[in-house]
């Protein structure tokens, strides 16, 4: 959960997030960086949720699959077949709370790992997702859709890498 630069060297940095709420299309108030690496068996994702007011980061301890409505959190959505029909959702809160679902099935529980940490620069998340829980077929290469999000509770900001209008329903066809 520390996002060590040496461990993540070579991973491209994704940082062009857009606000969906409270002002659609606005620049985020805080910088978010996402890095992605993979091995033959796992997808690894790191979030650096930088914050100029780290003492105001909102977090609540809760049980697994509690939706953390009043907490800062990050989200990953993966469309494993890139068919724009269903996706896996993984959410991690500051206190390392985990939420996951497949499509609209909130009872789906995958086995995956996450770790978080807080510093005077913000909060950080490392996530390890086994490809086996994404039900990939065995083949040389895969094309899948992926999206990243962050919620900053104190400002009510919902940030997305690939954004869509807030009056639209969940838009899996955008990633």
């Amino acid at each position: 959960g520390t996002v060590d630069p040496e461990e993540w060297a070579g991973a491209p940095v994704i940082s062009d997030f857009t606000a969906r709420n409270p002002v659609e299309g606005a620049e985020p108030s805080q910088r978010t960086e996402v890095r992605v690496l993979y091995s033959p068996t796992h997808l690894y994702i790191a979030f650096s949720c930088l914050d100029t007011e780290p003492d105001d980061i909102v977090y609540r301890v809760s049980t697994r699959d509690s939706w953390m409505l009043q907490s800062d959190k990050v989200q990953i959505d993966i469309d494993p077949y890139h068919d724009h029909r269903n996706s896996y959702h993984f959410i991690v809160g500051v206190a390392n709370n985990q939420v996951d679902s497949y499509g609209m099935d909130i009872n789906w529980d995958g086995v995956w790992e996450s770790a978080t940490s807080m510093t005077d620069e913000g909060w950080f998340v490392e996530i390890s997702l086994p490809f086996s829980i994404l039900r990939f077929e065995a083949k040389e290469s895969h094309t899948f859709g992926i999206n990243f999000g962050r919620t900053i509770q104190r400002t009510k900001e919902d940030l997305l890498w690939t954004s869509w209008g807030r009056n639209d329903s969940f838009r899996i066809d955008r990633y």
Side-chain angles (χ1 to χ4, degrees):
T2 58
V3 190
D4 183 327
E6 289 181 21
E7 290 179 4
W8 292 93
V13 177
I14 298 166
S15 61
D16 51 339
F17 284 71
T18 304
R20 184 166 186 236
N21 284 311
V23 179
E24 186 176 344
E27 287 289 317
S29 67
Q30 306 296 326
R31 182 171 172 82
T32 305
E33 297 177 351
V34 176
R35 293 167 175 80
V36 179
L37 293 172
Y38 63 91
S39 72
T41 59
H42 286 76
L43 182 64
Y44 303 101
I45 301 164
F47 281 83
S48 296
C49 300
L50 305 176
D51 203 309
T52 57
E53 301 174 43
D55 291 338
D56 293 333
I57 294 171
V58 179
Y59 65 96
R60 308 274 189 271
V61 176
S62 64
T63 59
R64 182 175 171 128
D65 288 332
S66 294
W67 281 93
M68 297 179 280
L69 298 176
Q70 301 300 317
S71 184
D72 283 34
K73 56 189 161 284
V74 297
Q75 178 170 331
I76 304 161
D77 300 313
I78 299 175
D79 174 2
Y81 304 112
H82 207 244
D83 60 6
H84 306 297
R85 294 175 49 196
N86 286 301
S87 65
Y88 292 91
H89 312 284
F90 303 93
I91 301 171
V92 179
V94 180
N96 202 31
N97 321 43
Q98 293 180 342
V99 175
D100 55 15
S101 66
Y102 176 66
M104 299 306 289
D105 182 3
I106 61 172
N107 293 314
W108 179 84
D109 282 320
V111 178
W112 52 286
E113 296 179 358
S114 63
T116 62
S117 65
M118 289 182 67
T119 72
D120 59 357
E121 294 179 349
W123 68 284
F124 303 86
V125 184
E126 290 183 307
I127 299 168
S128 173
L129 300 172
F131 285 125
S132 61
I133 67 170
L134 301 174
R135 299 181 185 155
F136 279 128
E137 300 170 8
K139 58 182 184 178
E140 281 294 309
S141 66
H142 291 277
T143 299
F144 58 90
I146 193 165
N147 201 11
F148 307 103
R150 175 185 180 187
T151 297
I152 304 171
Q153 187 61 39
R154 75 174 178 278
T155 58
K156 306 296 186 213
E157 285 177 85
D158 290 320
L159 311 174
L160 293 169
W161 177 47
T162 302
S163 194
W164 55 85
R166 65 177 165 213
N167 292 327
D168 292 340
S169 59
F170 183 70
R171 297 299 304 260
I172 192 171
D173 62 329
R174 297 288 176 107
Y175 57 89

